Amino acid sequence: MRRTLIAGNWKMNGSLSSLETLINGIKEGLADVKNADMAVCPPAIYIPRVSELIGDASIGLGSQNICDQESGAFTGELAPSMLKEFNCNYAIIGHSERRSLYAESDELVARRFAMAVKSGITPLFCIGETLDEREAGVTQDVVSRQLDAVINTQGIEALAQCVIAYEPVWAIGTGKTASPEQAQAVHAFIRGKLAALNTSVADKVQILYGGSMNAANAAELLSQPDIDGGLIGGASLKAVDFLAIGKAA
Ligand code: PGA
């Protein structure tokens, strides 16, 4: 039985004071979230403060990216060892905003993935098609290509050490959610593709949905057999909304 994971991607939002309100609010309501693990991914500069505020509460902590190298001359990047010093157990990798706005290739994403796994940090590995790609009927080709970048370099077993986030790009931050049926169809395709290579990896791996998931649509999305949680942007910025998604699981 796969656990449900609800992870918040704060993107480049918040301030020192707002994150304090947010984390304290999540902590206060956490006892009512019975069937999901919760995690937050703050902007990197706030990771130490968020780690401190989380204390021993059971809230996972993640970064929004991770370097593909251990240390050295990589201006602007975050080393896995640094993230571990502040108790990060997750790193978002290959988010569509990184892929499209900062030109991260499938190959670079795969290298970041490898470094996270090597360092004991669980990748929240994002894949998903754009609107043009969906309309052209190539959704399965796109997610396959993105998955293959990791499978072909690190082997199918590496996927057992990550969480996959299927995030249709057209649903991110647009208020347009994929319908539960649309999302389930792609999740089932992803799991089927993995199962063709290794059934135990396919059974084990959590596949989250991301793209305008909120308190109102979470229950239906999370009730789909292959949807094991959510990667939440906008609705993770208010404790009540974020907790409501956790409670919907
Ligand atoms: P959204 O973002 O929930 O605001 O659509 C999701 C994401 O980008 O991870």
Side-chain angles (χ1 to χ4, degrees):
M1 189 61 191
R2 294 180 296 270
R3 281 283 293 173
T4 297
L5 172 66
I6 304 296
N9 174 9
W10 294 0
K11 308 193 180 185
M12 199 172 72
N13 292 296
S15 65
L16 265 183
S17 69
S18 74
L19 69 84
E20 194 156 331
T21 312
L22 181 49
I23 290 292
N24 289 335
I26 296 171
K27 282 169 83 172
E28 275 163 33
L30 205 55
D32 297 329
V33 178
K34 310 274 189 225
N35 299 318
D37 296 326
M38 305 293 281
V40 294
C41 303
I45 195 167
Y46 294 141
I47 286 173
R49 180 67 183 133
V50 172
S51 174
E52 197 173 82
L53 286 166
I54 288 176
D56 55 15
S58 122
I59 302 171
L61 179 60
S63 62
Q64 297 177 13
N65 213 341
I66 187 169
C67 191
D68 64 328
Q69 305 291 326
E70 278 170 11
S71 67
F74 303 100
T75 302
E77 291 285 325
L78 285 167
S81 60
M82 299 170 187
L83 295 171
K84 292 200 78 173
E85 282 185 293
F86 292 97
N87 309 312
C88 277
N89 42 354
Y90 294 106
I92 297 174
I93 289 173
H95 191 279
S96 66
E97 286 149 20
R98 299 296 320 172
R99 292 179 187 266
S100 67
L101 303 174
Y102 299 96
E104 292 197 8
S105 64
D106 291 337
E107 293 69 31
L108 174 57
V109 171
R111 290 201 307 274
R112 293 190 192 276
F113 183 114
M115 184 54 76
V117 167
K118 182 175 170 205
S119 316
I121 292 177
T122 303
L124 294 173
F125 174 35
C126 300
I127 58 177
E129 81 289 1
T130 62
L131 184 58
D132 284 352
E133 290 165 340
R134 173 159 285 260
E135 286 174 347
V138 296
T139 297
Q140 296 188 350
D141 302 331
V142 172
V143 298
S144 278
R145 190 199 75 224
Q146 293 169 331
L147 288 166
D148 284 341
V150 170
I151 296 170
N152 293 341
T153 51
Q154 293 151 63
I156 180 68
E157 289 76 17
L159 271 289
Q161 305 188 60
C162 82
V163 173
I164 295 171
Y166 168 60
E167 299 207 307
V169 179
W170 48 273
I172 295 178
T174 56
K176 259 196 233 165
T177 322
S179 69
E181 296 72 29
Q182 281 175 320
Q184 166 58 26
V186 182
H187 282 234
F189 169 75
I190 294 166
R191 205 177 302 282
K193 176 180 166 71
L194 303 185
L197 298 167
N198 184 318
T199 49
S200 84
V201 171
D203 287 343
K204 179 174 174 235
V205 71
Q206 291 167 301
I207 309 179
L208 315 187
Y209 167 79
S212 300
M213 194 191 268
N214 57 39
N217 60 30
E220 226 192 329
L221 285 161
L222 294 172
S223 68
Q224 302 300 311
D226 289 298
I227 301 186
D228 308 314
L231 183 56
I232 322 294
S236 72
L237 297 173
K238 279 205 189 123
V240 280
D241 297 345
F242 190 51
L243 288 165
I245 298 172
K247 286 185 240 174

